[in-house]
Amino acid sequence: MDIHERLKYLRTQLGLTTRAFGASINMTGGAITNMEKGLRNITDRTLKDICREYNVNPEWLTDGREPVFLDTVSSLDVEEDVKQLARQYSLLNDKDRELVKSIIHSLYEKIEPQKTTDKKTKS
């Protein structure tokens, strides 16, 4: 698999159209299509943008060396299910990340008054 095929593989694994993938790195869907077909070179800047946006291992994208994604989550000192949630969250687009944050914030707002009430009752 060459770099162009790995680019297409990555995009399809992320479940993105060429348009959505391109938009996430300030490119057009047509430019992404041309890169995937090998009709357009993938610049160093584009490589960096892809790796930054999707936490992709640059060595995998350029040379095929595993792993595909950088796993910065493994070093976190949290339970395994929290690590899995962090990995899944990292694959979301900005709109979906904002939705997740608002849901968590909303849940926190519901439990915070309960903590204050519980502390007063125990005193």
Side-chain angles (χ1 to χ4, degrees):
M1 188 180 320
D2 70 11
I3 189 170
H4 305 283
E5 293 166 318
R6 282 190 292 279
L7 177 63
K8 184 173 184 174
Y9 172 82
L10 174 65
R11 180 184 59 76
T12 57
Q13 289 299 303
L14 294 170
L16 298 172
T17 62
T18 55
R19 178 181 282 172
F21 186 81
S24 71
I25 56 169
N26 297 314
M27 298 188 84
T28 65
I32 300 300
T33 298
N34 287 336
M35 283 187 258
E36 290 178 354
K37 291 181 177 181
L39 302 174
R40 179 176 175 170
N41 287 331
I42 303 171
T43 65
D44 287 341
R45 166 105 189 240
T46 300
L47 285 170
K48 288 177 187 176
D49 289 346
I50 292 167
C51 292
R52 182 193 69 249
E53 184 68 25
Y54 296 104
N55 203 34
V56 172
N57 176 3
E59 292 178 348
W60 175 79
L61 196 52
T62 56
D63 303 321
R65 284 184 261 162
E66 298 284 340
V68 175
F69 297 100
L70 297 173
D71 191 7
T72 55
V73 174
S74 291
S75 62
L76 296 175
D77 187 23
V78 294
E79 296 171 5
E80 204 52 45
D81 57 340
V82 175
K83 289 179 184 180
Q84 182 61 27
L85 287 170
R87 287 184 190 101
Q88 292 168 343
Y89 176 84
S90 73
L91 297 175
L92 298 176
N93 62 37
D94 290 341
K95 183 179 178 183
D96 290 339
R97 285 181 182 190
E98 287 303 315
L99 176 62
V100 169
K101 285 190 245 181
S102 69
I103 291 169
I104 291 171
H105 181 71
S106 176
L107 290 171
Y108 176 77
E109 292 295 316
K110 287 180 183 178
I111 65 166
E112 188 57 28
Q114 291 174 351
K115 286 183 177 182
T116 306
T117 305
D118 290 347
K119 285 180 184 178
K120 288 178 182 177
T121 326
K122 289 180 182 179
S123 298

mmCIF file of all heavy atoms in Angstrom, residues 75-118:
data_model
loop_
_atom_site.group_PDB
_atom_site.id
_atom_site.type_symbol
_atom_site.label_atom_id
_atom_site.label_comp_id
_atom_site.label_asym_id
_atom_site.label_seq_id
_atom_site.Cartn_x
_atom_site.Cartn_y
_atom_site.Cartn_z
ATOM 1 N N SER A 75 -1.008 6.453 28.139
ATOM 2 C CA SER A 75 -0.204 6.945 29.253
ATOM 3 C C SER A 75 -1.038 7.612 30.351
ATOM 4 O O SER A 75 -0.517 7.940 31.407
ATOM 5 C CB SER A 75 0.841 7.938 28.738
ATOM 6 O OG SER A 75 0.195 9.045 28.149
ATOM 7 N N LEU A 76 -2.328 7.796 30.107
ATOM 8 C CA LEU A 76 -3.185 8.410 31.118
ATOM 9 C C LEU A 76 -3.375 7.477 32.312
ATOM 10 O O LEU A 76 -3.488 6.272 32.157
ATOM 11 C CB LEU A 76 -4.564 8.747 30.531
ATOM 12 C CG LEU A 76 -4.613 9.781 29.423
ATOM 13 C CD1 LEU A 76 -6.036 9.898 28.886
ATOM 14 C CD2 LEU A 76 -4.126 11.130 29.915
ATOM 15 N N ASP A 77 -3.422 8.049 33.495
ATOM 16 C CA ASP A 77 -3.617 7.266 34.712
ATOM 17 C C ASP A 77 -5.103 7.237 35.060
ATOM 18 O O ASP A 77 -5.551 7.854 36.030
ATOM 19 C CB ASP A 77 -2.799 7.872 35.857
ATOM 20 C CG ASP A 77 -2.826 7.013 37.111
ATOM 21 O OD1 ASP A 77 -3.085 5.795 36.991
ATOM 22 O OD2 ASP A 77 -2.596 7.559 38.202
ATOM 23 N N VAL A 78 -5.867 6.528 34.202
ATOM 24 C CA VAL A 78 -7.309 6.398 34.382
ATOM 25 C C VAL A 78 -7.714 4.963 34.040
ATOM 26 O O VAL A 78 -6.935 4.203 33.476
ATOM 27 C CB VAL A 78 -8.103 7.397 33.497
ATOM 28 C CG1 VAL A 78 -7.856 8.833 33.933
ATOM 29 C CG2 VAL A 78 -7.769 7.228 32.035
ATOM 30 N N GLU A 79 -8.971 4.645 34.349
ATOM 31 C CA GLU A 79 -9.474 3.305 34.058
ATOM 32 C C GLU A 79 -9.532 3.062 32.554
ATOM 33 O O GLU A 79 -9.619 3.991 31.753
ATOM 34 C CB GLU A 79 -10.876 3.152 34.657
ATOM 35 C CG GLU A 79 -10.890 3.250 36.163
ATOM 36 C CD GLU A 79 -12.299 3.310 36.722
ATOM 37 O OE1 GLU A 79 -13.278 3.178 35.961
ATOM 38 O OE2 GLU A 79 -12.411 3.503 37.943
ATOM 39 N N GLU A 80 -9.511 1.797 32.174
ATOM 40 C CA GLU A 80 -9.472 1.419 30.757
ATOM 41 C C GLU A 80 -10.685 1.912 29.980
ATOM 42 O O GLU A 80 -10.559 2.325 28.832
ATOM 43 C CB GLU A 80 -9.348 -0.116 30.641
ATOM 44 C CG GLU A 80 -8.754 -0.600 29.354
ATOM 45 C CD GLU A 80 -7.423 0.042 28.974
ATOM 46 O OE1 GLU A 80 -6.519 0.184 29.810
ATOM 47 O OE2 GLU A 80 -7.291 0.417 27.789
ATOM 48 N N ASP A 81 -11.875 1.907 30.591
ATOM 49 C CA ASP A 81 -13.052 2.375 29.863
ATOM 50 C C ASP A 81 -12.982 3.879 29.591
ATOM 51 O O ASP A 81 -13.458 4.355 28.560
ATOM 52 C CB ASP A 81 -14.358 2.002 30.571
ATOM 53 C CG ASP A 81 -14.469 2.520 31.988
ATOM 54 O OD1 ASP A 81 -13.434 2.847 32.603
ATOM 55 O OD2 ASP A 81 -15.598 2.587 32.499
ATOM 56 N N VAL A 82 -12.330 4.634 30.462
ATOM 57 C CA VAL A 82 -12.145 6.066 30.233
ATOM 58 C C VAL A 82 -11.161 6.277 29.083
ATOM 59 O O VAL A 82 -11.352 7.162 28.244
ATOM 60 C CB VAL A 82 -11.661 6.780 31.522
ATOM 61 C CG1 VAL A 82 -11.349 8.237 31.262
ATOM 62 C CG2 VAL A 82 -12.698 6.629 32.622
ATOM 63 N N LYS A 83 -10.141 5.448 29.012
ATOM 64 C CA LYS A 83 -9.191 5.524 27.888
ATOM 65 C C LYS A 83 -9.903 5.244 26.561
ATOM 66 O O LYS A 83 -9.659 5.920 25.568
ATOM 67 C CB LYS A 83 -8.046 4.529 28.082
ATOM 68 C CG LYS A 83 -7.100 4.903 29.187
ATOM 69 C CD LYS A 83 -6.004 3.874 29.336
ATOM 70 C CE LYS A 83 -5.101 4.212 30.512
ATOM 71 N NZ LYS A 83 -4.024 3.236 30.686
ATOM 72 N N GLN A 84 -10.789 4.258 26.567
ATOM 73 C CA GLN A 84 -11.532 3.926 25.351
ATOM 74 C C GLN A 84 -12.425 5.097 24.940
ATOM 75 O O GLN A 84 -12.512 5.437 23.759
ATOM 76 C CB GLN A 84 -12.363 2.653 25.550
ATOM 77 C CG GLN A 84 -13.117 2.215 24.323
ATOM 78 C CD GLN A 84 -12.213 1.887 23.144
ATOM 79 O OE1 GLN A 84 -11.059 1.508 23.304
ATOM 80 N NE2 GLN A 84 -12.715 2.057 21.948
ATOM 81 N N LEU A 85 -13.071 5.727 25.906
ATOM 82 C CA LEU A 85 -13.895 6.897 25.601
ATOM 83 C C LEU A 85 -13.048 8.026 25.018
ATOM 84 O O LEU A 85 -13.465 8.702 24.075
ATOM 85 C CB LEU A 85 -14.614 7.386 26.864
ATOM 86 C CG LEU A 85 -15.771 6.527 27.347
ATOM 87 C CD1 LEU A 85 -16.232 6.996 28.728
ATOM 88 C CD2 LEU A 85 -16.917 6.550 26.359
ATOM 89 N N ALA A 86 -11.863 8.218 25.549
ATOM 90 C CA ALA A 86 -10.971 9.267 25.036
ATOM 91 C C ALA A 86 -10.555 8.965 23.600
ATOM 92 O O ALA A 86 -10.499 9.865 22.757
ATOM 93 C CB ALA A 86 -9.745 9.402 25.936
ATOM 94 N N ARG A 87 -10.284 7.700 23.308
ATOM 95 C CA ARG A 87 -9.922 7.321 21.931
ATOM 96 C C ARG A 87 -11.090 7.596 20.978
ATOM 97 O O ARG A 87 -10.905 8.133 19.890
ATOM 98 C CB ARG A 87 -9.538 5.852 21.872
ATOM 99 C CG ARG A 87 -8.205 5.537 22.487
ATOM 100 C CD ARG A 87 -7.829 4.064 22.302
ATOM 101 N NE ARG A 87 -6.660 3.752 23.094
ATOM 102 C CZ ARG A 87 -6.689 3.123 24.272
ATOM 103 N NH1 ARG A 87 -7.834 2.705 24.784
ATOM 104 N NH2 ARG A 87 -5.580 2.905 24.930
ATOM 105 N N GLN A 88 -12.276 7.223 21.392
ATOM 106 C CA GLN A 88 -13.451 7.443 20.544
ATOM 107 C C GLN A 88 -13.722 8.934 20.371
ATOM 108 O O GLN A 88 -14.024 9.393 19.276
ATOM 109 C CB GLN A 88 -14.668 6.731 21.143
ATOM 110 C CG GLN A 88 -14.541 5.232 21.092
ATOM 111 C CD GLN A 88 -15.578 4.510 21.932
ATOM 112 O OE1 GLN A 88 -16.218 5.099 22.801
ATOM 113 N NE2 GLN A 88 -15.748 3.221 21.679
ATOM 114 N N TYR A 89 -13.584 9.689 21.442
ATOM 115 C CA TYR A 89 -13.800 11.134 21.387
ATOM 116 C C TYR A 89 -12.831 11.781 20.397
ATOM 117 O O TYR A 89 -13.210 12.679 19.646
ATOM 118 C CB TYR A 89 -13.616 11.734 22.781
ATOM 119 C CG TYR A 89 -13.729 13.233 22.836
ATOM 120 C CD1 TYR A 89 -14.972 13.840 22.927
ATOM 121 C CD2 TYR A 89 -12.593 14.038 22.799
ATOM 122 C CE1 TYR A 89 -15.091 15.224 22.977
ATOM 123 C CE2 TYR A 89 -12.700 15.415 22.845
ATOM 124 C CZ TYR A 89 -13.945 16.002 22.935
ATOM 125 O OH TYR A 89 -14.047 17.370 22.969
ATOM 126 N N SER A 90 -11.597 11.303 20.372
ATOM 127 C CA SER A 90 -10.586 11.896 19.486
ATOM 128 C C SER A 90 -10.933 11.725 18.012
ATOM 129 O O SER A 90 -10.435 12.465 17.167
ATOM 130 C CB SER A 90 -9.198 11.316 19.770
ATOM 131 O OG SER A 90 -9.105 9.979 19.291
ATOM 132 N N LEU A 91 -11.799 10.784 17.688
ATOM 133 C CA LEU A 91 -12.182 10.551 16.293
ATOM 134 C C LEU A 91 -13.398 11.377 15.866
ATOM 135 O O LEU A 91 -13.731 11.411 14.691
ATOM 136 C CB LEU A 91 -12.470 9.063 16.071
ATOM 137 C CG LEU A 91 -11.292 8.124 16.283
ATOM 138 C CD1 LEU A 91 -11.734 6.672 16.149
ATOM 139 C CD2 LEU A 91 -10.164 8.427 15.304
ATOM 140 N N LEU A 92 -14.031 12.046 16.831
ATOM 141 C CA LEU A 92 -15.220 12.835 16.509
ATOM 142 C C LEU A 92 -14.849 14.145 15.821
ATOM 143 O O LEU A 92 -13.768 14.685 16.043
ATOM 144 C CB LEU A 92 -16.001 13.160 17.788
ATOM 145 C CG LEU A 92 -16.560 11.985 18.578
ATOM 146 C CD1 LEU A 92 -17.210 12.488 19.861
ATOM 147 C CD2 LEU A 92 -17.543 11.193 17.744
ATOM 148 N N ASN A 93 -15.770 14.662 15.028
ATOM 149 C CA ASN A 93 -15.559 15.985 14.443
ATOM 150 C C ASN A 93 -15.869 17.043 15.500
ATOM 151 O O ASN A 93 -16.386 16.745 16.578
ATOM 152 C CB ASN A 93 -16.398 16.176 13.169
ATOM 153 C CG ASN A 93 -17.889 16.100 13.436
ATOM 154 O OD1 ASN A 93 -18.397 16.559 14.445
ATOM 155 N ND2 ASN A 93 -18.614 15.502 12.501
ATOM 156 N N ASP A 94 -15.551 18.296 15.185
ATOM 157 C CA ASP A 94 -15.709 19.378 16.159
ATOM 158 C C ASP A 94 -17.144 19.526 16.653
ATOM 159 O O ASP A 94 -17.380 19.747 17.840
ATOM 160 C CB ASP A 94 -15.238 20.708 15.566
ATOM 161 C CG ASP A 94 -13.733 20.760 15.392
ATOM 162 O OD1 ASP A 94 -13.031 19.959 16.039
ATOM 163 O OD2 ASP A 94 -13.254 21.610 14.616
ATOM 164 N N LYS A 95 -18.100 19.396 15.757
ATOM 165 C CA LYS A 95 -19.509 19.557 16.137
ATOM 166 C C LYS A 95 -19.925 18.478 17.135
ATOM 167 O O LYS A 95 -20.579 18.765 18.143
ATOM 168 C CB LYS A 95 -20.386 19.488 14.880
ATOM 169 C CG LYS A 95 -21.847 19.723 15.141
ATOM 170 C CD LYS A 95 -22.652 19.675 13.859
ATOM 171 C CE LYS A 95 -24.130 19.853 14.120
ATOM 172 N NZ LYS A 95 -24.931 19.731 12.906
ATOM 173 N N ASP A 96 -19.530 17.237 16.868
ATOM 174 C CA ASP A 96 -19.879 16.140 17.770
ATOM 175 C C ASP A 96 -19.135 16.257 19.099
ATOM 176 O O ASP A 96 -19.678 15.913 20.155
ATOM 177 C CB ASP A 96 -19.610 14.790 17.115
ATOM 178 C CG ASP A 96 -20.581 14.501 15.984
ATOM 179 O OD1 ASP A 96 -21.671 15.114 15.961
ATOM 180 O OD2 ASP A 96 -20.248 13.675 15.107
ATOM 181 N N ARG A 97 -17.899 16.747 19.078
ATOM 182 C CA ARG A 97 -17.169 16.964 20.329
ATOM 183 C C ARG A 97 -17.892 17.991 21.197
ATOM 184 O O ARG A 97 -17.993 17.825 22.406
ATOM 185 C CB ARG A 97 -15.744 17.436 20.045
ATOM 186 C CG ARG A 97 -14.833 16.344 19.552
ATOM 187 C CD ARG A 97 -13.448 16.857 19.304
ATOM 188 N NE ARG A 97 -12.591 15.800 18.773
ATOM 189 C CZ ARG A 97 -11.298 15.900 18.636
ATOM 190 N NH1 ARG A 97 -10.673 17.002 18.964
ATOM 191 N NH2 ARG A 97 -10.603 14.891 18.154
ATOM 192 N N GLU A 98 -18.375 19.058 20.568
ATOM 193 C CA GLU A 98 -19.115 20.080 21.322
ATOM 194 C C GLU A 98 -20.388 19.488 21.935
ATOM 195 O O GLU A 98 -20.754 19.819 23.056
ATOM 196 C CB GLU A 98 -19.449 21.275 20.432
ATOM 197 C CG GLU A 98 -18.250 22.147 20.116
ATOM 198 C CD GLU A 98 -17.549 22.678 21.359
ATOM 199 O OE1 GLU A 98 -18.232 23.152 22.289
ATOM 200 O OE2 GLU A 98 -16.302 22.606 21.399
ATOM 201 N N LEU A 99 -21.047 18.611 21.187
ATOM 202 C CA LEU A 99 -22.251 17.958 21.702
ATOM 203 C C LEU A 99 -21.922 17.110 22.926
ATOM 204 O O LEU A 99 -22.604 17.177 23.946
ATOM 205 C CB LEU A 99 -22.893 17.094 20.609
ATOM 206 C CG LEU A 99 -24.110 16.269 21.028
ATOM 207 C CD1 LEU A 99 -25.249 17.176 21.498
ATOM 208 C CD2 LEU A 99 -24.566 15.389 19.872
ATOM 209 N N VAL A 100 -20.849 16.326 22.847
ATOM 210 C CA VAL A 100 -20.441 15.489 23.977
ATOM 211 C C VAL A 100 -20.109 16.359 25.184
ATOM 212 O O VAL A 100 -20.531 16.075 26.308
ATOM 213 C CB VAL A 100 -19.237 14.591 23.592
ATOM 214 C CG1 VAL A 100 -18.632 13.917 24.816
ATOM 215 C CG2 VAL A 100 -19.654 13.555 22.559
ATOM 216 N N LYS A 101 -19.377 17.447 24.950
ATOM 217 C CA LYS A 101 -19.033 18.345 26.062
ATOM 218 C C LYS A 101 -20.275 18.936 26.703
ATOM 219 O O LYS A 101 -20.350 19.032 27.933
ATOM 220 C CB LYS A 101 -18.107 19.466 25.575
ATOM 221 C CG LYS A 101 -16.684 19.013 25.325
ATOM 222 C CD LYS A 101 -15.801 20.222 25.085
ATOM 223 C CE LYS A 101 -15.275 20.208 23.691
ATOM 224 N NZ LYS A 101 -14.393 21.359 23.395
ATOM 225 N N SER A 102 -21.251 19.324 25.901
ATOM 226 C CA SER A 102 -22.460 19.917 26.473
ATOM 227 C C SER A 102 -23.261 18.887 27.262
ATOM 228 O O SER A 102 -23.843 19.214 28.302
ATOM 229 C CB SER A 102 -23.320 20.577 25.393
ATOM 230 O OG SER A 102 -23.890 19.631 24.543
ATOM 231 N N ILE A 103 -23.278 17.649 26.804
ATOM 232 C CA ILE A 103 -23.973 16.584 27.543
ATOM 233 C C ILE A 103 -23.290 16.352 28.894
ATOM 234 O O ILE A 103 -23.952 16.276 29.931
ATOM 235 C CB ILE A 103 -24.020 15.275 26.721
ATOM 236 C CG1 ILE A 103 -24.944 15.444 25.510
ATOM 237 C CG2 ILE A 103 -24.456 14.101 27.591
ATOM 238 C CD1 ILE A 103 -24.851 14.315 24.498
ATOM 239 N N ILE A 104 -21.968 16.273 28.883
ATOM 240 C CA ILE A 104 -21.231 16.057 30.134
ATOM 241 C C ILE A 104 -21.437 17.233 31.075
ATOM 242 O O ILE A 104 -21.679 17.053 32.277
ATOM 243 C CB ILE A 104 -19.731 15.809 29.849
ATOM 244 C CG1 ILE A 104 -19.565 14.454 29.161
ATOM 245 C CG2 ILE A 104 -18.915 15.871 31.143
ATOM 246 C CD1 ILE A 104 -18.180 14.181 28.640
ATOM 247 N N HIS A 105 -21.378 18.435 30.541
ATOM 248 C CA HIS A 105 -21.591 19.628 31.370
ATOM 249 C C HIS A 105 -22.995 19.605 31.978
ATOM 250 O O HIS A 105 -23.174 19.898 33.172
ATOM 251 C CB HIS A 105 -21.382 20.892 30.539
ATOM 252 C CG HIS A 105 -21.548 22.149 31.320
ATOM 253 N ND1 HIS A 105 -20.641 22.570 32.266
ATOM 254 C CD2 HIS A 105 -22.540 23.071 31.316
ATOM 255 C CE1 HIS A 105 -21.068 23.691 32.808
ATOM 256 N NE2 HIS A 105 -22.216 24.019 32.249
ATOM 257 N N SER A 106 -23.982 19.250 31.193
ATOM 258 C CA SER A 106 -25.358 19.191 31.663
ATOM 259 C C SER A 106 -25.512 18.155 32.786
ATOM 260 O O SER A 106 -26.167 18.408 33.795
ATOM 261 C CB SER A 106 -26.290 18.852 30.500
ATOM 262 O OG SER A 106 -27.609 18.699 30.933
ATOM 263 N N LEU A 107 -24.892 16.995 32.604
ATOM 264 C CA LEU A 107 -24.948 15.966 33.646
ATOM 265 C C LEU A 107 -24.257 16.436 34.922
ATOM 266 O O LEU A 107 -24.742 16.204 36.030
ATOM 267 C CB LEU A 107 -24.314 14.668 33.143
ATOM 268 C CG LEU A 107 -25.098 13.928 32.067
ATOM 269 C CD1 LEU A 107 -24.267 12.786 31.492
ATOM 270 C CD2 LEU A 107 -26.415 13.410 32.612
ATOM 271 N N TYR A 108 -23.132 17.105 34.756
ATOM 272 C CA TYR A 108 -22.399 17.616 35.912
ATOM 273 C C TYR A 108 -23.245 18.622 36.686
ATOM 274 O O TYR A 108 -23.277 18.607 37.916
ATOM 275 C CB TYR A 108 -21.083 18.256 35.465
ATOM 276 C CG TYR A 108 -20.333 18.885 36.605
ATOM 277 C CD1 TYR A 108 -19.620 18.098 37.502
ATOM 278 C CD2 TYR A 108 -20.357 20.258 36.800
ATOM 279 C CE1 TYR A 108 -18.947 18.677 38.568
ATOM 280 C CE2 TYR A 108 -19.690 20.843 37.861
ATOM 281 C CZ TYR A 108 -18.981 20.049 38.740
ATOM 282 O OH TYR A 108 -18.327 20.613 39.794
ATOM 283 N N GLU A 109 -23.940 19.488 35.959
ATOM 284 C CA GLU A 109 -24.796 20.483 36.596
ATOM 285 C C GLU A 109 -25.896 19.818 37.421
ATOM 286 O O GLU A 109 -26.318 20.352 38.439
ATOM 287 C CB GLU A 109 -25.421 21.422 35.558
ATOM 288 C CG GLU A 109 -24.411 22.326 34.882
ATOM 289 C CD GLU A 109 -23.766 23.302 35.831
ATOM 290 O OE1 GLU A 109 -24.485 23.900 36.656
ATOM 291 O OE2 GLU A 109 -22.534 23.460 35.764
ATOM 292 N N LYS A 110 -26.349 18.653 36.981
ATOM 293 C CA LYS A 110 -27.393 17.937 37.722
ATOM 294 C C LYS A 110 -26.858 17.315 39.005
ATOM 295 O O LYS A 110 -27.550 17.270 40.008
ATOM 296 C CB LYS A 110 -28.001 16.839 36.846
ATOM 297 C CG LYS A 110 -28.894 17.356 35.757
ATOM 298 C CD LYS A 110 -29.450 16.214 34.932
ATOM 299 C CE LYS A 110 -30.298 16.738 33.796
ATOM 300 N NZ LYS A 110 -30.799 15.656 32.950
ATOM 301 N N ILE A 111 -25.618 16.812 38.987
ATOM 302 C CA ILE A 111 -25.092 16.127 40.174
ATOM 303 C C ILE A 111 -24.422 17.068 41.159
ATOM 304 O O ILE A 111 -24.374 16.777 42.338
ATOM 305 C CB ILE A 111 -24.123 14.987 39.808
ATOM 306 C CG1 ILE A 111 -22.866 15.519 39.125
ATOM 307 C CG2 ILE A 111 -24.803 13.925 38.995
ATOM 308 C CD1 ILE A 111 -21.745 14.508 39.035
ATOM 309 N N GLU A 112 -23.924 18.205 40.717
ATOM 310 C CA GLU A 112 -23.235 19.136 41.613
ATOM 311 C C GLU A 112 -24.138 19.636 42.744
ATOM 312 O O GLU A 112 -23.709 19.614 43.899
ATOM 313 C CB GLU A 112 -22.637 20.305 40.832
ATOM 314 C CG GLU A 112 -21.754 21.195 41.661
ATOM 315 C CD GLU A 112 -20.589 20.482 42.338
ATOM 316 O OE1 GLU A 112 -20.110 19.449 41.820
ATOM 317 O OE2 GLU A 112 -20.174 20.944 43.409
ATOM 318 N N PRO A 113 -25.375 20.050 42.481
ATOM 319 C CA PRO A 113 -26.248 20.464 43.603
ATOM 320 C C PRO A 113 -26.501 19.321 44.588
ATOM 321 O O PRO A 113 -26.626 19.545 45.783
ATOM 322 C CB PRO A 113 -27.545 20.888 42.913
ATOM 323 C CG PRO A 113 -27.146 21.252 41.524
ATOM 324 C CD PRO A 113 -26.001 20.329 41.196
ATOM 325 N N GLN A 114 -26.547 18.085 44.086
ATOM 326 C CA GLN A 114 -26.757 16.933 44.973
ATOM 327 C C GLN A 114 -25.583 16.768 45.927
ATOM 328 O O GLN A 114 -25.757 16.450 47.091
ATOM 329 C CB GLN A 114 -26.943 15.658 44.156
ATOM 330 C CG GLN A 114 -28.234 15.616 43.379
ATOM 331 C CD GLN A 114 -28.315 14.405 42.464
ATOM 332 O OE1 GLN A 114 -27.347 13.675 42.274
ATOM 333 N NE2 GLN A 114 -29.492 14.196 41.890
ATOM 334 N N LYS A 115 -24.357 16.976 45.439
ATOM 335 C CA LYS A 115 -23.177 16.862 46.302
ATOM 336 C C LYS A 115 -23.231 17.883 47.427
ATOM 337 O O LYS A 115 -22.930 17.582 48.570
ATOM 338 C CB LYS A 115 -21.899 17.048 45.488
ATOM 339 C CG LYS A 115 -21.528 15.890 44.624
ATOM 340 C CD LYS A 115 -20.208 16.157 43.930
ATOM 341 C CE LYS A 115 -19.752 15.007 43.108
ATOM 342 N NZ LYS A 115 -18.461 15.280 42.484
ATOM 343 N N THR A 116 -23.606 19.113 47.107
ATOM 344 C CA THR A 116 -23.700 20.166 48.101
ATOM 345 C C THR A 116 -24.766 19.823 49.132
ATOM 346 O O THR A 116 -24.548 19.974 50.339
ATOM 347 C CB THR A 116 -24.050 21.518 47.415
ATOM 348 O OG1 THR A 116 -23.087 21.756 46.390
ATOM 349 C CG2 THR A 116 -24.036 22.654 48.407
ATOM 350 N N THR A 117 -25.900 19.326 48.696
ATOM 351 C CA THR A 117 -26.985 18.922 49.603
ATOM 352 C C THR A 117 -26.545 17.768 50.480
ATOM 353 O O THR A 117 -26.807 17.757 51.686
ATOM 354 C CB THR A 117 -28.237 18.532 48.787
ATOM 355 O OG1 THR A 117 -28.592 19.604 47.929
ATOM 356 C CG2 THR A 117 -29.399 18.191 49.689
ATOM 357 N N ASP A 118 -25.864 16.780 49.896
ATOM 358 C CA ASP A 118 -25.382 15.624 50.657
ATOM 359 C C ASP A 118 -24.405 16.051 51.750
ATOM 360 O O ASP A 118 -24.434 15.536 52.860
ATOM 361 C CB ASP A 118 -24.706 14.616 49.732
ATOM 362 C CG ASP A 118 -25.703 13.906 48.822
ATOM 363 O OD1 ASP A 118 -26.937 14.007 49.067
ATOM 364 O OD2 ASP A 118 -25.254 13.244 47.849
#
